[in-house]
């Protein structure tokens, strides 16, 4: 009789037997008998979900926790960029005017911002502000009264009053960083009037981008010398001697008390 252990083995038969019985050979059979495809993702074994993507989508009742998760936030952020680019792409040359929302209409800074908004609009250049009250309202008011493009890019805040009534192109944002991107992308010059933390944030963000050559050189004007001089005395008297900035950095800005000069500098690169 022929010893069965000496019979030649059919390789294909061995593979089939190993898939059914891992003990039939030296190589273990694949441990997973099913494969689930979720888009480009392959799931097997315990990773296979109980419900399909379509079934989850069509459930009548489910938790709304997903509305507050990061993947959904990414879509909202993307939508804000798309909406902002779409709204401003055909705006043309523009100058941003920053300043406090708390400035009263009787304040000389309010009247100066209103004058600067009008002067910018008279040059056929759009005025962009944060869309709120105070300095922002003043610049929008001047631009609208001069028949120009008066843009307000607002932000959702609990205490804000919404877009002021002198804006003729407005948009509100959820995210500060999206809003600031719109300011930088569509402004060829900036005038910064007296303001608080928000104004300082916008100013230093822009100066950092210009200093690090992330954007084209942009004229930056600080209006109201007495308000800003102390800050720049500290910059030149403390930061520069300790090597935190180069001697050229303070030259990134122009300080003035003259609305006409502020507008002339801010629009100097616009043909």
């Amino acid at each position: 009789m022929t010893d069965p252990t000496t019979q030649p083995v059919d390789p294909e038969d061995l593979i089939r037997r190993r898939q059914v019985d891992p003990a039939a050979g030296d190589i273990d059979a694949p441990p997973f008998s099913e494969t689930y495809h979720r888009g480009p993702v392959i799931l097997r074994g315990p990773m296979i979900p109980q419900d399909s993507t379509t079934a989850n989508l069509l459930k009548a009742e489910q938790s709304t926790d997903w509305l507050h998760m990061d993947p959904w936030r990414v879509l909202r952020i993307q939508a804000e960029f798309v909406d902002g680019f779409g709204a401003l792409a055909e705006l043309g040359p523009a100058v941003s005017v920053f300043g406090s929302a708390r400035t009263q209409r009787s304040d000389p800074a309010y009247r100066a911002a209103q004058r600067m908004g009008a002067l910018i609009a008279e040059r056929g250049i759009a005025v962009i502000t944060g869309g709120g009250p105070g300095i922002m309202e003043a610049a929008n008011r001047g631009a609208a009264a001069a028949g120009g493009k008066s843009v307000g890019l607002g932000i959702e805040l609990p205490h804000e009053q919404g877009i002021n009534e002198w804006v003729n192109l407005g948009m509100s944002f959820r995210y500060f960083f999206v809003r600031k991107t719109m300011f930088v992308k569509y402004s060829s010059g900036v005038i910064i009037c007296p303001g608080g933390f928000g104004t300082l944030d916008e100013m230093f963000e822009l100066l950092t981008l210009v200093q690090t050559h992330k954007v084209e050189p942009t004229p930056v004007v600080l209006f109201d010398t007495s308000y800003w001089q102390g800050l720049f005395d500290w910059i030149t008297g403390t930061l520069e001697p300790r090597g935190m900035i180069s001697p050229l950095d303070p030259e990134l800005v122009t300080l003035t008390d003259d609305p006409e000069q502020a507008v002339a500098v801010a629009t100097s690169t616009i043909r």
Side-chain angles (χ1 to χ4, degrees), residues 49-259:
Q50 297 299 312
D51 298 318
S52 69
T53 303
T54 300
N56 287 329
L57 174 65
L58 299 178
K59 278 184 179 178
E61 296 180 6
Q62 57 181 329
S63 169
T64 59
D65 289 346
W66 57 274
L67 285 170
H68 310 289
M69 297 174 66
D70 285 342
W72 186 247
R73 290 191 181 100
V74 169
L75 293 177
R76 285 203 302 260
I77 292 167
Q78 177 179 309
E80 285 209 345
F81 276 113
V82 171
D83 288 341
F85 293 153
L88 301 174
E90 298 177 345
L91 180 64
V95 167
S96 285
V97 179
F98 299 136
S100 176
R102 303 182 183 190
T103 303
Q104 299 300 310
R105 293 178 179 176
S106 58
D107 193 310
Y110 183 99
R111 294 192 293 273
Q114 186 175 349
R115 172 66 176 155
M116 289 186 284
L119 290 171
I120 294 168
E122 288 169 1
R123 295 176 180 232
I125 299 168
V127 172
I128 302 177
T129 79
I135 293 293
M136 296 173 280
E137 175 191 285
N140 286 135
R141 185 175 183 176
K149 298 176 182 178
S150 180
V151 182
L153 305 180
I155 186 75
E156 290 183 9
L157 294 175
H159 58 275
E160 277 292 349
Q161 301 176 18
I163 301 294
N164 69 68
E165 58 188 322
W166 283 280
V167 167
N168 51 38
L169 173 58
M171 181 175 175
S172 291
F173 293 85
R174 290 173 180 261
Y175 302 100
F176 273 111
F177 58 88
V178 179
R179 179 185 186 227
K180 287 194 288 187
T181 298
M182 301 303 151
F183 282 128
V184 173
K185 181 173 176 61
Y186 294 104
S187 297
S188 299
V190 174
I191 298 174
I192 304 172
C193 297
F197 287 149
T199 302
L200 292 170
D201 174 58
E202 290 157 342
M203 177 182 73
F204 281 114
E205 171 99 8
L206 178 59
L207 292 178
T208 300
L209 292 171
V210 173
Q211 179 199 47
T212 56
H213 305 289
K214 294 296 185 182
V215 296
E216 294 294 323
T218 303
V220 179
V221 181
L222 301 184
F223 182 80
D224 191 339
T225 302
S226 63
Y227 188 86
W228 298 109
Q229 191 62 59
L231 173 62
F232 277 84
D233 287 343
W234 173 74
I235 289 174
T236 57
T238 301
L239 298 188
E240 184 179 332
R242 295 186 61 174
M244 303 300 176
I245 59 171
S246 73
L248 295 176
D249 286 345
E251 298 179 11
L252 295 173
V253 301
T254 299
L255 276 71
T256 184
D257 296 309
D258 181 7

Side-chain angles (χ1 to χ4, degrees), residues 17-41:
R17 285 189 288 126
R18 286 173 179 169
Q19 289 174 337
V20 175
D21 180 9
D26 297 327
I27 302 176
D28 289 340
F32 307 120
S33 59
E34 296 182 48
T35 298
Y36 181 92
H37 294 271
R38 188 172 62 189
V41 179

